[in-house]
């Protein structure tokens, strides 16, 4: 019993899964979608055509059988009236024999065994009047009141009505009842009703419908097969073109489509191959140019180190003896010392960028606590923040556990973000947040300085780009810090994102996975930061009514601390 229930459960799962499989096939397969649409539209056309033919044939069969019934009934009633007119019977027995003769003649002439005769109402009672008769198939209300009323209203015209006849075995079938009146000498008028069975017409119509159904199904199969063959013939080159384009996009620049014939598909193949060859040529040229540029930057950076070291040694000697120089020479020695130091940083950054461009960077992973790393960076840069008036704060709800990372590169990212916050924080507090969740750890550096526009935010990670070139640097920098930080974050399979609004400050967020190679589901630190979201909500929910401006005095400003 348990195995049977398990089998039923498996069948139910398969049954519930097939609509999803059909939807997936519909989205992914052009051939399946085209064949399905062709078969669907063909099936609709066949269904409409079959319904029209079935209705038309059924109506023709009914009309043909109706005309036969009316013709036979007319001849039978006329023949019966002739027999009655030729008879001189006046006694009860003779009239009963005459009624039997009329019944036999009606059955013989009309070809129907369903006959009923009733003495028309409204006539005087007579002892010699023979009683009416009724076939079993016409009893039970088959002859409706509407038909009898029509016969009595116009006794000289044949009246008919569609009815349902009950067979001897209890089954029902469609039929027609035709009614009229005849006059019997001495006995008066009688209503005559003749019933006709339409079972043969129904059988014929059923055969026609079954034939149309079988032909329609066969035609749909043929249409589906033809559509599948045609679409396969056309879709195969298209599918091959799609696979070729995927391989080309994946880096296989030597892949090409086969060129056969001179039709549109052959033109497509030749055009595609020409495009692929042109792309391959341009990509190779760009790769060679990029390689030359990388080698040039690397060689120049490397070759400059030797003369730079000599310049640095000479500059240090002059810098150490600056107190003995005249003021102008002393200032020159200080500028030389600062710029040589910045030049060394620039060369180091250029060498690092050239390594990234060459793809020769490898991570040196070590289990490191992001909180402890952030604390070290903050303590290192705190002396630089104090002259600007910025208060460095650390908020760390999480992130204390050790996570595999390259501590040198992550420390460089954090140092760069905190340094930029000090540079642009305008003396306001700087908050360094660290947190973690089940998939990642993150650090965010939030300042409340001048902020950036949307255009500046989109370009902030570009090389050698500055949001305000005229702004004086207080800490230094090469313009490559954020670009290198982004490369370091990508190398860790992490995110480096920024949010900034003018006059609202900026927030840079670094998120890296807990384990290398795992996907980051979400960052544990929100971006935009929570305080920015709260300020937006406050603005949206603030009262919209306007009031007159309040006049303030100098004393009021002093009380508020603005004096």
């Amino acid at each position: 019993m348990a195995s049977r229930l398990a089998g039923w459960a498996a069948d139910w799962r398969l049954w519930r899964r097939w609509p999803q499989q059909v939807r997936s096939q519909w989205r992914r397969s052009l051939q399946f979608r085209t064949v399905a649409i062709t078969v669907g539209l063909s099936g609709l056309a066949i269904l409409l055509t079959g319904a029209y033919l079935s209705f038309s044939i059924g109506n023709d069969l009914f009309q043909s059988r109706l005309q036969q019934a009316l013709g036979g009934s007319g001849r039978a009633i006329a023949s019966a009236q002739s027999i009655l007119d030729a008879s001189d019977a006046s006694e009860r027995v003779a009239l009963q024999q005459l009624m039997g003769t009329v019944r036999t003649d009606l059955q013989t002439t009309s070809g129907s065994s369903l006959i009923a005769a009733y003495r028309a109402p409204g006539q005087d009672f007579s002892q010699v009047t023979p009683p009416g008769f009724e076939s079993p198939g016409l009893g039970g209300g088959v002859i409706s009141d509407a038909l009898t009323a029509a016969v009595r209203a116009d006794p000289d015209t044949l009246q008919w009505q569609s009815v349902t006849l009950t067979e001897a075995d209890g089954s029902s079938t469609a039929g027609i009842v035709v009614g009229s009146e005849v006059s019997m000498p001495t006995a008066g008028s009688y209503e005559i009703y003749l019933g006709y069975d339409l079972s043969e017409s129904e059988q014929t119509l059923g055969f026609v419908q079954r034939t149309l159904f079988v032909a329609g199904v066969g035609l749909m199969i043929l249409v589906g097969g033809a559509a599948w063959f045609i679409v396969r013939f056309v879709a195969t080159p298209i599918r091959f073109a799609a696979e070729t384009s995927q391989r080309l996009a994946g880096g296989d620049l030597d892949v090409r489509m086969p060129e056969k014939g001179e039709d549109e598909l052959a033109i497509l193949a030749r055009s595609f191959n020409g495009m692929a060859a042109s792309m391959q040529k341009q990509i190779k040229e760009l790769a060679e140019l990029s390689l030359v540029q990388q080698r040039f930057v690397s060689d120049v950076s490397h070759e400059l180190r030797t003369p730079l070291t000599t310049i640095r040694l000479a500059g240090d000697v002059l810098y150490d003896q600056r107190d003995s120089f005249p003021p102008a020479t002393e200032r020159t020695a200080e500028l030389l010392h600062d710029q040589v130091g910045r030049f060394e940083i620039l060369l180091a950054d250029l060498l690092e960028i050239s390594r990234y461009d060459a793809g020769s960077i490898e991570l040196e992973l070590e289990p490191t606590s992001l909180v402890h790393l952030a604390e070290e960076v903050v303590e290192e840069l705190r002396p630089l923040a104090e002259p600007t008036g910025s208060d460095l704060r650390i908020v760390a709800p999480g992130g204390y556990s050790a996570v595999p990372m390259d501590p040198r590169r992550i420390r460089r990212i954090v140092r760069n973000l905190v340094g930029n916050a000090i540079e642009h924080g305008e003396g306001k507090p700087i908050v360094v947040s660290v947190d973690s969740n089940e998939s990642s750890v993150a650090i965010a550096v939030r300042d409340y300085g001048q902020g950036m526009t949307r255009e500046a935010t989109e370009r902030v990670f570009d090389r050698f780009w500055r949001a305000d070139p005229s702004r004086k640097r207080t800490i230094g920098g090469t313009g490559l810090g954020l670009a290198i930080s982004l490369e370091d974050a990508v190398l860790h399979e992490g995110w480096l994102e920024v949010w900034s609004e003018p006059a609202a400050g900026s927030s840079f967020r670094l998120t890296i996975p807990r384990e290398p190679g795992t996907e980051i589901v979400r960052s544990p630190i929100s971006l935009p930061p929570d305080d920015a979201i709260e300020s937006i909500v406050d603005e949206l929910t603030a009262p919209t009514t306007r009031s007159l401006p309040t006049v303030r005095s100098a004393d009021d400003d002093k009380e508020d601390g603005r004096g």
Side-chain angles (χ1 to χ4, degrees):
M1 186 63 182
S3 60
R4 183 177 301 177
L5 291 176
W8 288 346
D11 294 340
W12 173 247
R13 285 194 296 268
L14 292 176
W15 176 256
R16 292 185 58 186
R17 194 181 304 165
W18 76 265
Q20 183 178 359
Q21 295 176 349
V22 170
R23 288 195 298 270
S24 176
Q25 192 73 6
W26 175 273
R27 292 192 302 268
R28 297 175 56 187
S29 175
L30 175 64
Q31 182 175 354
F32 175 80
R33 189 163 59 247
T34 304
V35 172
I37 293 175
T38 303
V39 172
L41 294 178
S42 301
L44 180 61
I46 292 172
L47 178 62
L48 295 177
T49 303
Y52 172 76
L53 290 176
S54 177
F55 176 78
S56 179
I57 293 173
N59 185 64
D60 290 344
L61 289 174
F62 178 78
Q63 292 296 330
S64 175
R65 189 69 179 106
L66 176 62
Q67 295 302 321
Q68 292 178 2
L70 292 176
S73 298
R75 290 190 298 272
I77 292 176
S79 177
Q81 187 63 56
S82 298
I83 294 174
L84 293 175
D85 292 341
S87 174
D88 56 355
S90 59
E91 295 181 356
R92 178 180 178 83
V93 176
L95 290 175
Q96 289 180 350
Q97 292 177 351
L98 180 60
M99 181 63 73
T101 302
V102 168
R103 180 174 184 177
T104 302
D105 183 73
L106 288 172
Q107 183 174 356
T108 303
T109 306
S110 65
S112 174
S113 60
L114 301 175
I115 305 172
Y118 308 104
R119 193 167 185 266
Q123 303 181 82
D124 296 335
F125 175 78
S126 174
Q127 292 290 340
V128 298
T129 301
F133 57 87
E134 177 184 87
S135 297
L138 294 180
V142 173
I143 302 174
S144 65
D145 296 338
L147 180 59
T148 56
V151 171
R152 294 167 187 171
D154 189 4
D156 297 329
T157 304
L158 293 177
Q159 308 292 334
W160 67 275
Q161 187 178 38
S162 296
V163 297
T164 300
L165 301 177
T166 302
E167 301 290 343
D169 57 356
S171 60
S172 298
T173 183
I176 298 174
V177 175
V178 181
S180 186
E181 282 192 5
V182 295
S183 297
M184 179 179 291
T186 309
S189 299
Y190 280 81
E191 297 175 0
I192 304 297
Y193 297 96
L194 302 173
Y196 296 90
D197 189 357
L198 300 182
S199 58
E200 293 183 359
S201 298
E202 285 187 338
Q203 293 175 359
T204 303
L205 180 61
F207 173 76
V208 171
Q209 289 175 341
R210 289 191 297 272
T211 303
L212 289 175
F213 176 77
V214 173
V217 172
L219 185 59
M220 288 181 60
I221 294 175
L222 291 177
V223 169
W228 180 85
F229 177 77
I230 296 173
V231 174
R232 180 179 177 83
F233 178 76
V234 176
T236 299
I238 298 177
R239 182 168 58 249
F240 191 82
E243 295 174 354
T244 304
S245 63
Q246 288 180 346
R247 293 174 58 187
L248 186 64
D252 187 2
L253 301 180
D254 296 325
V255 66
R256 295 293 185 270
M257 289 182 59
E259 302 178 11
K260 297 180 181 179
E262 299 180 357
D263 55 6
E264 290 80 358
L265 295 176
I267 296 174
L268 173 63
R270 285 193 292 272
S271 301
F272 184 89
N273 292 339
M275 178 190 68
S278 177
M279 289 178 56
Q280 184 179 21
K281 180 181 178 181
Q282 294 179 8
I283 290 174
K284 286 184 177 180
E285 292 177 354
L286 291 174
E288 293 174 357
L289 178 60
S290 176
L291 184 61
V292 170
Q293 292 175 342
Q294 295 170 15
R295 188 179 298 113
F296 174 77
V297 172
S298 179
D299 293 344
V300 169
S301 302
H302 186 270
E303 293 299 328
L304 285 177
R305 282 186 172 275
T306 301
L308 180 61
T309 302
T310 304
I311 295 173
R312 181 58 184 263
L313 291 175
D316 288 343
V317 173
L318 295 176
Y319 183 76
D320 293 339
Q321 299 178 5
R322 65 186 184 280
D323 295 337
S324 61
F325 296 152
T329 307
E330 179 183 1
R331 178 58 180 163
T332 301
E334 293 176 352
L335 290 176
L336 178 63
H337 180 272
D338 293 340
Q339 293 305 314
V340 168
R342 186 182 174 196
F343 196 16
E344 285 184 333
I345 298 175
L346 175 60
L347 283 179
D349 289 348
L350 286 174
L351 281 174
E352 190 73 7
I353 284 291
S354 65
R355 294 190 189 99
Y356 273 112
D357 292 339
S360 59
I361 300 295
E362 293 184 2
L363 292 177
E364 298 178 2
L365 299 179
E366 298 179 9
T368 305
S369 171
L370 190 57
V371 174
H372 297 160
L373 188 148
E375 290 175 346
E376 294 174 0
V377 173
V378 167
E379 292 302 322
E380 177 185 347
L381 297 181
R382 191 179 298 278
L384 297 177
E386 291 176 352
T388 65
S390 295
D391 179 22
L392 290 179
R393 307 173 185 174
I394 293 183
V395 178
Y400 290 89
S401 59
V403 174
M405 67 178 73
D406 190 330
R408 182 179 67 86
R409 299 183 185 279
I410 297 299
R411 183 179 287 105
R412 180 168 58 189
I413 297 175
V414 178
R415 184 187 300 113
N416 194 289
L417 297 182
V418 176
N420 285 341
I422 296 173
E423 179 78 28
H424 302 280
E426 298 183 346
K428 298 178 181 179
I430 298 172
V431 180
V432 179
S433 303
V434 185
D435 204 350
S436 61
N437 58 20
E438 64 279 359
S439 64
S440 60
V441 294
I443 182 171
V445 180
R446 171 79 162 103
D447 68 76
Y448 299 88
Q450 61 184 356
M452 294 182 290
T453 62
R454 182 180 298 273
E455 293 76 14
T457 304
E458 294 175 353
R459 298 192 58 189
V460 71
F461 295 106
D462 294 349
R463 299 177 182 180
F464 298 109
W465 184 86
R466 293 180 64 187
D468 186 4
S470 63
R471 183 182 179 90
K472 181 181 178 181
R473 292 183 181 268
T474 59
I475 299 179
T478 62
L480 293 173
L482 288 178
I484 295 176
S485 298
L486 180 61
E487 296 288 351
D488 287 336
V490 173
L491 197 61
H492 281 81
E493 300 177 354
W495 306 337
L496 182 57
E497 303 160 288
V498 60
W499 168 89
S500 186
E501 289 290 340
S506 304
S507 179
F508 286 82
R509 181 181 68 183
L510 170 66
T511 308
I512 60 175
R514 279 186 172 274
E515 294 293 336
T518 60
E519 182 181 0
I520 299 175
V521 179
R522 60 180 179 84
S523 180
I525 300 177
S526 60
L527 196 71
D530 294 334
D531 55 357
I533 297 175
E534 292 173 359
S535 63
I536 294 174
V537 172
D538 292 340
E539 291 180 2
L540 294 177
T541 57
T544 57
T545 57
R546 294 182 179 270
S547 59
L548 294 175
T550 303
V551 178
R552 302 180 61 87
S553 64
D555 295 335
D556 295 333
D557 292 337
K558 292 180 180 179
E559 291 177 2
D560 292 343
R562 302 183 183 181

